[in-house]
């Protein structure tokens, strides 16, 4: 049986605990970009831990999820004020151009966001049962879902060129083509509450079930497999593919980072503070995994190469 991988954790403070680092993405400039959900700001964090923050249109917008587009910009959703915001990183001297777009549907509750297969950015409208598409100039198209009260959450482009998303309250995984055709795949566990979702290295989509304490896998033809976590009350929140052919996820309710192989083997790693509330997780530009801790930090998770020391 393969040995448990060697992991090194290094924490970088990016804000006070009142700021609430929530989600992060590897930006087009070789840095990490992180939402500060309670401050209405975006933080840029270099892999050495240097931090710059940028204010959004208001301090009360609730920037939530964040993604890097194909247009050289970083995009985020502002859940509380129903906007999608585009940030273009500046030159080496710093700075960023920030433009916000108010959505055509009132009280839409934009949440998940991802670069689409068509050069646009796609996002979920959790409170309006819609999926949105936005171009770099701010043109928005919205596609209704075939169910009410679904609370569409996280979205990602799948290996089949479709948009895949979690329907948290509908207990389903959705698939939408770029022209808006939608299919929902019900989950076998009732009340599982899917949230985070990401394409895996095996051609499937992987997701977390925050209410059931499980990791799920769905193929592009809709076949679902679920893997129970060692701690069913750990409340897994986000998931991302790692540099090692495995998936990495956050256990928001337990202060841990987890790893699952494509064959279903699970390992978990305690964070120094069990109350750190890890939320988003992403592969960084340096080949390590990074996670956002709501208590004010980013944590770098370096995974040892086979037979070697933890990589940088």
């Amino acid at each position: 049986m393969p040995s448990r991988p060697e992991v090194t954790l290094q924490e970088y403070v990016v804000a006070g605990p009142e700021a609430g680092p929530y989600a992060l993405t590897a930006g087009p400039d070789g840095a990490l970009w992180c939402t500060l959900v309670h401050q209405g700001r975006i933080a840029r964090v270099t892999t050495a831990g240097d931090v710059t923050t940028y204010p959004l249109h208001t301090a009360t917008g609730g920037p939530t999820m964040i993604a890097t587009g194909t247009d050289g910009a970083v995009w985020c959703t502002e859940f509380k004020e129903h906007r999608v915001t585009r940030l273009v990183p500046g030159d080496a001297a710093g700075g960023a151009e920030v433009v916000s777009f108010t959505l055509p549907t009132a009280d839409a509750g934009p949440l998940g966001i991802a670069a689409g297969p068509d050069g646009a950015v796609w996002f979920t409208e959790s409170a309006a049962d819609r999926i949105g598409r936005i171009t770099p100039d701010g043109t928005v198209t919205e596609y209704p879902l075939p169910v009410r009260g679904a609370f569409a959450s996280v979205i990602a482009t799948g290996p089949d060129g479709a948009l895949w998303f979690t329907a948290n309250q509908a207990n389903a995984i959705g698939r939408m083509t770029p022209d808006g055709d939608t299919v929902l795949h019900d989950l076998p566990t009732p009340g599982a509450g899917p949230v985070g979702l990401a394409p895996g290295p095996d051609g499937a989509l992987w997701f977390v079930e925050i209410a059931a304490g499980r990791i799920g896998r769905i193929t592009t033809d809709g076949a679902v497999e679920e893997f129970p976590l060692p701690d069913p009350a750990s409340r897994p929140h986000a998931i991302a593919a790692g540099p090692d052919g495995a998936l990495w996820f956050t256990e928001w309710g337990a202060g841990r980072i987890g790893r699952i192989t494509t064959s279903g083997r699970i390992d978990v790693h305690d964070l120094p503070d069990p109350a750190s509330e890890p939320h988003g997780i992403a592969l960084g530009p340096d080949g390590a995994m990074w996670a956002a801790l709501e208590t004010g930090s980013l944590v770098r998770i370096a995974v040892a190469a086979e037979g070697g020391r933890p990589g940088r």
Side-chain angles (χ1 to χ4, degrees), residues 277-288:
E277 296 187 359
H279 279 254
I281 191 166
L283 177 62
D286 56 353

Side-chain angles (χ1 to χ4, degrees), residues 50-73:
D50 298 323
V51 181
T52 308
T53 67
Y54 303 99
L56 301 184
H57 182 64
T58 65
T60 55
T64 308
M65 304 297 290
I66 191 166
T68 299
T70 59
D71 58 344

Side-chain angles (χ1 to χ4, degrees), residues 173-237:
I173 305 297
R175 178 186 186 272
M176 177 177 284
T177 65
D179 58 5
D181 291 338
T182 306
V183 176
L184 293 179
H185 301 282
D186 294 334
L187 297 181
T189 298
V195 183
L197 173 143
D202 56 349
L205 285 300
W206 290 73
F207 57 94
V208 298
E209 299 177 356
I210 193 169
R214 296 169 183 249
I215 305 297
R217 176 185 184 270
I218 185 168
T219 63
T220 54
D221 62 0
V224 176
E225 187 175 9
E226 295 172 308
F227 303 91
L229 295 177
D231 178 2
S234 60
R235 299 190 68 77
H237 185 273

Side-chain angles (χ1 to χ4, degrees), residues 30-208:
L32 292 138
W33 291 71
C34 173
T35 55
L36 302 179
V37 66
H38 301 311
Q39 282 191 334
R41 302 179 75 92
I42 301 296
R44 178 186 183 272
V45 185
T46 70
T47 55
D50 298 323
V51 181
T52 308
T53 67
Y54 303 99
L56 301 184
H57 182 64
T58 65
T60 55
T64 308
M65 304 297 290
I66 191 166
T68 299
T70 59
D71 58 344
V74 176
W75 293 76
C76 74
T77 53
E78 294 190 68
F79 179 83
K80 290 183 178 179
E81 295 188 359
H82 316 293
R83 293 189 294 257
V84 171
T85 293
R86 181 177 186 262
L87 301 94
V88 180
D91 57 22
E97 176 189 349
V98 181
V99 180
S100 294
F101 304 99
T102 299
L103 299 179
T105 297
D107 301 327
L111 187 55
I113 194 164
D118 55 354
V121 170
W122 291 69
F123 56 95
T124 60
E125 297 186 2
S126 62
D129 291 314
R130 297 169 185 248
I131 301 295
R133 176 187 185 271
I134 187 168
T135 62
D137 66 359
T139 301
V140 175
T141 308
E142 297 171 309
Y143 300 95
L145 299 181
V147 64
R148 302 299 298 168
F151 201 84
S153 299
V154 175
I155 191 168
T157 295
D160 56 350
L163 287 306
W164 289 77
F165 59 94
T166 51
N168 177 266
Q169 293 300 299
N171 208 52
I173 305 297
R175 178 186 186 272
M176 177 177 284
T177 65
D179 58 5
D181 291 338
T182 306
V183 176
L184 293 179
H185 301 282
D186 294 334
L187 297 181
T189 298
V195 183
L197 173 143
D202 56 349
L205 285 300
W206 290 73
F207 57 94
V208 298

